[in-house]
Amino acid sequence: MTYDPATANPLFGNPLHSRADVEKGLRDLFDPLLPYFSQGGARVRLDGAGAHFDRAAADLEGFARPLWGLTPLAAGGADFEHWELYRQGLANGTDPEHPEYWGQVNSTDQRMVELAAIGFTMRMVPHLVWEPLPQEAKDNMAAYLKHARQFDYAHNNWKFFRILVDLGLAECGVDFDRSLTEQYLEELDGFYLGDGWYRDGNVRRIDHYIPFAMHFYGLIYAKLARGDEKRAAAYKERAALFAKDIQHWFDEDGGTLAFGRSLTYRFACGGFWGALAFADLEALPWGKIKGYFLRHLRWWADKPIAHGNGVLSIGYGYPNLFMSESYNSAGSPYWALKAFLPLALPADHPFWTAEEEAAGFDAKPVPLKHPGMVMQHSPGNVVALSSGQQNWQMRHGTEKYAKFAYSSRYGFSVEVDERSYHQGAFDGALALSDDGRHYRVRETNETAQIAENCLFACWKPWSDVTVETWLVPAHHWHIRVHRITTPRALHGTEGGFAIARADLNADTYLDAPGRGEARSATDVSAILDLRGQREGRAFRALPNSNLVVSKTIVPQLRGDIPAGTTVLVTAAMALPAGEEADKALANPPHAPDLAALEALFAREGIDVSAILVPERF
């Protein structure tokens, strides 16, 4: 049996240009799940991999997450032949006497997450999942949801999950304590930072949960809630502001910035554009919104994101457990179906009738104060220079949040052997070692600032070592200046961007003083020491460490750092192979004036530290 791209990605070969194409894509993504529904319809178990929660909750996840796509499909008038299977599953999963009962919620629980999709479905299509049920099943279902919603949800985007359940209960005529709804709506407002940006909880953590959770659910509420016009208007106003910024997390080909946690949800990252359409919010011209939405789906269509049976894998550009979260079960990737929300809209909606428009980005850097980033657009790619955010709580949180640079085309790498310094990828990062085996990278900042289109951070890899880092965009390049103060000698390894490596070693590598370079048939990546202090190498990273491709080459600079104060100046770039890349390589940037950078931040620096935000409620 040979590798078949069509089964390694259900979207393969789909042009994804029209509403019909998008509907077909959804059906093709769902169909491989059918053999895995349990006899009673309440559980979907896709493989034996585990998450930190119990197996019943994981099976519920596999059952419920497809509803994020199937519900809009039905609401938009399309036929779906398996609603009886879902009705059976809802009845059995909420029946305490049935062997497929999902289990009772008695505290903060993963089931709370999955019940949101059920509440959404009850609100959108009660005639399919509620009205046909016998009274006993309705009673069980209502009791299950009402019991679950009374407990405390996680203090972040989860608070929307109670609200979505409440929308469903209200639509189906079930009585419940509405004061709990209002409490969470007020608490969610406390996460709003301004200019369209939220934080996801008390920590100022800003990642894809802002578009695909905070705004996504807010726009659903704005469309579906009754009698709360003021809050609905606020959600729309915030989303309109946000759209102008978040478009810069996408490249001209539809790729999105690989940054933060939960990236196994893949094209859920495009859900924000669909939610704008669902809420009838023309935050940008409809052709622009449609373009961002469809290009993002197309970006995924040629990547091996599914197993051979067509079931979506945990991973990003390919199956990869290294990058997963502890809360990822085999059903988790189906949150990607949130992208199909605009199927709820009729074919004559202006979102669907508009002509798709190109992004039209230029090369001018775009500073984004709230996430502490400076965005750089280039052909087929967007790079974020990042001030860094703290996330010690999640697996590989440092790699997902605290690197200096992130990319849509080249993703980022997670370290797969933390006790092998000399085999680290360290793309977009500076790793320091004092024993040649273990290493430290930036995990959090003492301070972080943005000034114009430059970033500054002070971080401490050890309590007695201080690193001050300045990040400066330079057309297709970016420059990193590090001032390292250490009481003992260290060794440093600094990485550029990881690009795909050919299986037959057909790529060209350059290891030279002050320069590491890799060139493939499709891409070029380079890193330069602008002071000539370190040795360059093109390092063959350990397999399955990068999010986008399984085998990569990472240009690096390596060298000794003596005790005292040392200033390192680095330039890095990566581009698709071709004339533009050749021009960039032939015209590298010059080292900036450090004194001028310090003066800029003293004069105009705005704090963007990933600090703990005080409780507001």
Side-chain angles (χ1 to χ4, degrees):
M1 187 172 181
T2 60
Y3 173 82
D4 183 358
T7 57
N9 189 334
L11 297 178
F12 184 80
N14 188 331
L16 292 166
H17 282 294
S18 68
R19 189 182 186 282
D21 294 338
V22 174
E23 179 179 326
K24 181 181 185 302
L26 172 64
R27 295 181 186 276
D28 291 343
L29 285 160
F30 174 77
D31 285 349
L33 299 179
L34 285 168
Y36 298 94
F37 275 77
S38 58
Q39 183 176 0
R43 299 193 179 198
V44 176
R45 185 174 300 182
L46 298 172
D47 66 23
H52 71 70
F53 43 83
D54 58 86
R55 178 59 68 179
D59 294 348
L60 167 59
E61 185 177 64
F63 170 87
R65 293 201 170 189
L67 291 170
W68 287 112
L70 299 175
T71 297
L73 176 74
D79 291 330
F80 176 67
E81 59 183 304
H82 302 293
W83 282 117
E84 177 55 36
L85 177 63
Y86 267 97
R87 286 192 290 270
Q88 181 185 11
L90 290 167
N92 292 334
T94 57
D95 180 357
E97 303 302 318
H98 195 278
E100 295 186 13
Y101 179 57
W102 293 325
Q104 184 169 278
V105 175
N106 288 315
S107 62
T108 304
D109 189 301
Q110 181 67 26
R111 292 165 181 79
M112 293 171 162
V113 179
E114 312 316 327
L115 296 179
I118 294 172
F120 172 62
T121 301
M122 292 167 65
R123 171 62 181 86
M124 291 284 284
V125 289
H127 62 288
L128 294 174
V129 296
W130 176 262
E131 293 167 11
L133 294 178
Q135 190 59 47
E136 182 181 2
K138 289 179 180 178
D139 292 344
N140 284 337
M141 194 168 159
Y144 191 91
L145 293 171
K146 288 175 65 175
H147 177 79
R149 71 178 290 279
Q150 71 181 307
F151 295 98
D152 289 335
Y153 288 59
H155 190 58
N156 54 25
N157 69 90
W158 278 37
K159 292 181 182 294
F160 265 119
F161 300 147
R162 175 190 285 170
I163 292 157
L164 290 166
V165 165
D166 293 354
L167 288 175
L169 291 173
E171 182 67 18
C172 294
V174 177
D175 186 46
F176 60 94
D177 181 1
R178 294 172 186 264
S179 68
L180 296 179
T181 316
E182 184 60 30
Q183 174 192 343
Y184 270 14
L185 286 166
E186 291 179 4
E187 293 182 7
L188 284 161
D189 281 341
F191 296 153
Y192 186 62
L193 296 172
D195 306 314
W197 291 87
Y198 290 87
R199 52 184 168 86
D200 187 22
N202 269 359
V203 176
R204 189 171 175 174
R205 185 172 298 141
I206 298 174
D207 52 24
H208 282 286
Y209 275 85
I210 310 311
F212 71 39
M214 300 300 289
H215 278 292
F216 184 84
Y217 304 134
L219 288 168
I220 287 176
Y221 183 86
K223 178 68 174 280
L224 299 182
R226 300 185 179 98
D228 195 1
E229 289 77 11
K230 182 177 180 181
R231 186 170 277 115
Y235 284 159
K236 287 188 173 185
E237 180 181 355
R238 294 169 188 174
L241 290 170
F242 184 70
K244 295 174 173 58
D245 281 354
I246 200 61
Q247 65 180 323
H248 295 291
W249 278 29
F250 290 79
D251 65 39
E252 61 184 19
D253 292 340
T256 193
L257 185 69
F259 174 80
R261 66 188 179 104
S262 295
L263 292 175
T264 197
Y265 302 154
R266 294 187 175 100
F267 33 96
C269 294
F272 172 73
W273 304 113
L276 289 176
F278 180 75
D280 301 309
L281 180 58
E282 192 175 7
L284 301 173
W286 284 123
K288 287 276 191 183
I289 295 172
K290 184 178 182 180
Y292 286 126
F293 173 79
L294 289 176
R295 284 192 300 273
H296 185 60
L297 289 178
R298 292 198 293 267
W299 190 88
W300 289 102
D302 65 350
K303 294 171 177 59
I305 59 176
H307 299 295
N309 57 2
V311 172
L312 291 178
S313 65
I314 296 173
Y316 191 66
Y318 61 97
N320 184 353
L321 287 176
F322 281 130
M323 57 73 65
S324 67
E325 318 297 346
S326 63
Y327 53 79
N328 288 156
S329 80
S332 294
Y334 284 88
W335 241 22
L337 302 195
K338 293 165 79 173
F340 293 90
L341 183 58
L343 288 177
L345 303 172
D348 62 357
H349 190 280
F351 171 79
W352 289 118
T353 60
E355 290 293 324
E356 184 179 333
E357 294 182 27
F361 297 128
D362 58 33
K364 183 179 178 181
V366 180
L368 298 176
K369 177 183 68 175
H370 291 287
M373 291 178 173
V374 175
M375 312 306 295
Q376 295 178 272
H377 291 283
S378 59
N381 188 31
V382 62
V383 168
L385 304 183
S386 178
S387 62
Q389 299 180 32
Q390 177 270 321
N391 190 334
W392 297 329
Q393 296 80 13
M394 304 285 176
R395 180 187 295 159
H396 296 302
T398 295
E399 291 98 316
K400 293 170 182 176
Y401 286 90
K403 290 178 183 278
F404 306 129
Y406 292 88
S407 164
S408 61
R409 184 178 178 89
Y410 306 111
F412 64 85
S413 303
V414 297
E415 300 304 333
V416 297
D417 189 344
E418 294 188 348
R419 289 176 294 279
S420 185
Y421 166 65
H422 295 293
Q423 293 193 82
F426 306 133
D427 54 313
L430 171 63
L432 300 170
S433 178
D434 59 3
D435 65 0
R437 181 182 178 191
H438 305 89
Y439 63 86
R440 302 286 182 93
V441 294
R442 180 170 69 171
E443 297 179 0
T444 188
N445 294 316
E446 301 294 302
T447 59
Q449 293 181 308
I450 186 170
E452 296 180 352
N453 58 9
C454 302
L455 297 169
F456 167 76
C458 177
W459 50 286
K460 297 181 74 67
W462 291 271
S463 61
D464 59 348
V465 175
T466 300
V467 183
E468 298 164 282
T469 295
W470 292 262
L471 302 176
V472 181
H475 193 44
H476 293 321
W477 296 82
H478 70 269
I479 300 169
R480 312 170 195 165
V481 181
H482 309 289
R483 184 162 60 198
I484 304 166
T485 302
T486 174
R488 61 190 178 280
L490 304 171
H491 191 274
T493 301
E494 186 167 9
F497 294 99
I499 64 172
R501 174 160 56 105
D503 280 337
L504 299 178
N505 296 319
D507 306 321
T508 302
Y509 308 137
L510 175 65
D511 299 356
R515 186 183 190 98
E517 185 179 316
R519 183 184 292 267
S520 72
T522 58
D523 293 276
V524 176
S525 181
I527 191 167
L528 307 179
D529 188 321
L530 297 183
R531 291 193 172 185
Q533 299 159 282
R534 293 165 288 175
E535 291 293 318
R537 73 171 183 176
F539 177 64
R540 296 153 185 79
L542 293 174
N544 306 314
S545 54
N546 185 264
L547 266 68
V548 177
V549 291
S550 60
K551 296 174 68 176
T552 59
I553 185 82
V554 185
Q556 294 178 339
L557 296 172
R558 311 184 81 233
D560 294 321
I561 299 168
T565 298
T566 299
V567 176
L568 304 176
V569 185
T570 304
M573 61 79 73
L575 286 170
E579 185 178 348
E580 196 81 8
D582 293 340
K583 287 181 180 178
L585 286 173
N587 296 279
H590 299 290
D593 185 326
L594 181 53
L597 280 175
E598 291 183 292
L600 171 65
F601 281 90
R603 185 175 65 250
E604 300 182 27
I606 299 172
D607 180 64
V608 291
S609 302
I611 58 173
L612 184 69
V613 178
E615 193 73 64
R616 290 181 56 181
F617 29 80

